[in-house]
Amino acid sequence: MDNLLYSPKLFDMAEVLLAQGQHDAALLFYKGVAETEKYQHSERLAICQYRMFTIQVGDDQSCNLEAATLLEPYIERLDEMDQLDALKDLDWVKETDEDTQHWVNLFSQWAEGNTYVNKLLSGDVSVLPDYSSNINR
């Protein structure tokens, strides 16, 4: 769907479907509108992203984290009430499952090591002992 003229009607249809509790059908329409408007920086695009997030959030924390990551850049485009709701929804998307914690810890360790490497490359040899102990972990 490349024609922006269809976007408002599809968005309205998605809103109707969502109100009727037909979440899967609404999700398809929201995705279509979001794809069409991805370069528009519109409030409608932000609302689509927020609605897709609320539909997709469930018990799988990895999926929740992915949905939250996709929503985050659009929060500031929402009106104030939707922003508050989105932030409230994002608050309970926690990285608590074992697999997610593993990756969060791994990336944290890599980030610490990269910080030492960057300091060493910029000539700061005072971090050499810390870098050495970081590598030996």
Side-chain angles (χ1 to χ4, degrees):
M1 185 181 85
D2 294 331
N3 192 336
L4 285 172
L5 295 175
Y6 298 121
S7 245
K9 291 184 187 231
L10 290 175
F11 179 79
D12 292 341
M13 179 57 80
E15 293 284 277
V16 168
L17 291 168
L18 184 66
Q20 293 175 349
Q22 298 181 35
H23 295 169
D24 291 339
L27 182 61
L28 291 173
F29 280 90
Y30 286 128
K31 284 182 177 181
V33 173
E35 179 63 28
T36 300
E37 295 198 1
K38 63 184 171 188
Y39 301 115
Q40 300 304 312
H41 304 290
S42 67
E43 183 178 348
R44 183 172 38 241
L45 173 60
I47 292 170
C48 283
Q49 294 293 341
Y50 175 55
R51 299 280 194 264
M52 289 187 303
F53 169 78
T54 58
I55 291 170
Q56 294 174 330
V57 166
D59 293 332
D60 184 341
Q61 290 299 322
S62 295
C63 290
N64 291 350
L65 183 59
E66 182 179 340
T69 302
L70 293 173
L71 171 64
E72 193 272 331
Y74 298 95
I75 290 176
E76 290 183 8
R77 296 186 205 165
L78 295 169
D79 67 36
E80 290 177 357
M81 291 306 295
D82 285 334
Q83 279 185 14
L84 290 173
D85 286 341
L87 292 171
K88 178 183 69 177
D89 290 338
L90 286 174
D91 187 44
W92 68 270
V93 176
K94 306 284 188 218
E95 305 94 3
T96 56
D97 65 280
E98 187 177 318
D99 188 47
T100 303
Q101 282 300 312
H102 166 76
W103 286 103
V104 167
N105 291 335
L106 194 57
F107 277 102
S108 295
Q109 291 172 11
W110 290 341
E112 184 180 355
N114 286 338
T115 301
Y116 293 133
V117 168
N118 286 331
K119 287 182 178 182
L120 285 169
L121 289 172
S122 67
D124 184 359
V125 293
S126 68
V127 298
L128 193 53
D130 294 330
Y131 175 69
S132 176
S133 64
N134 180 274
I135 287 180
N136 290 327
R137 274 195 256 166

